[in-house]
Amino acid sequence: MTAYEYTKLFDPKHVHRVTSSQTELGDRRARPTYVYDDDIVLAVNVALATGRPLLVRGASGTGKSTLARNAAHVLGRRFYEVVVTSRTQANDLLYEVDLLKRLNDAQAGRGSDAADPLSRDMTPYIKPGPLWWALDRENAEQLGTTSDPGDGPSDAPAAILIDEVDKAD
């Protein structure tokens, strides 16, 4: 394929290479390594320039997840990963509600429903999902029910890997 001339927003030439003395496995390495070719660099740059997501497909074990993690690292972004199952719904990426904890609190006479059983304050039972953390980190932190599951600089923009997206309804 012909090399294109363009200003690169994503230039992985400065990727930190993991030394062979590290014994961590696969994607669990502290600093994952990825070998980029021109087509992949172009695809990431097009996604960045257009502000659109990048859909990567291929056979199992070809490094799709490693690409996402490494590109986030190279770009200095927070990284969030979600693995989709056949039971995953779109709102699960935004938030989850711990209804079992709410039921336990109601039965024990604790929580906001203790004084007023008709109260519908669900705030203590909401757990922000990866999209919430990625799009509005400050608001998710104010909720205070969980800590940021992202990996990377806390003040950086986010990158999200939605893995196994083909399994969703």
Side-chain angles (χ1 to χ4, degrees):
M1 182 167 195
T2 313
Y4 298 100
E5 294 295 324
Y6 61 98
T7 302
K8 293 181 181 178
L9 301 171
F10 174 75
D11 190 1
K13 291 179 183 173
H14 306 291
V15 175
H16 174 76
R17 298 291 179 195
V18 177
T19 62
S20 60
S21 64
Q22 291 179 314
T23 58
E24 297 171 291
L25 301 174
D27 283 349
R28 301 193 193 283
R29 290 189 296 248
R31 294 193 174 146
T33 306
Y34 193 85
V35 178
Y36 294 89
D37 65 19
D38 290 339
D39 292 339
I40 292 172
V41 172
L42 176 63
V44 173
N45 276 293
V46 167
L48 289 169
T50 59
R52 304 291 298 171
L54 178 61
L55 179 63
V56 180
R57 63 183 195 154
S60 296
T62 57
K64 299 178 295 289
S65 298
T66 305
L67 167 63
R69 182 174 284 109
N70 190 263
H73 174 72
V74 170
L75 292 166
R77 296 190 176 200
R78 287 189 333 266
F79 179 73
Y80 298 92
E81 181 174 6
V82 182
V83 180
V84 173
T85 67
S86 60
R87 296 176 50 175
T88 303
Q89 297 179 3
N91 65 344
D92 294 340
L93 301 178
L94 286 173
Y95 65 90
E96 294 177 14
V97 179
D98 192 345
L99 296 175
L100 185 59
K101 183 178 180 193
R102 184 172 189 254
L103 176 64
N104 286 337
D105 287 352
Q107 288 177 338
R110 296 186 304 260
S112 61
D113 292 349
D116 179 11
L118 298 177
S119 171
R120 300 282 182 216
D121 182 22
M122 299 293 281
T123 306
Y125 310 104
I126 295 174
K127 177 184 172 188
L131 284 181
W132 188 338
W133 280 105
L135 299 173
D136 193 356
R137 184 176 186 272
E138 290 178 19
N139 187 283
E141 281 179 335
Q142 288 174 1
L143 203 55
T145 56
T146 58
S147 60
D148 187 351
D151 184 27
S154 61
D155 59 342
I160 304 172
L161 167 62
I162 303 176
D163 207 359
E164 305 289 340
V165 72
D166 58 316
K167 293 193 170 65
D169 285 341

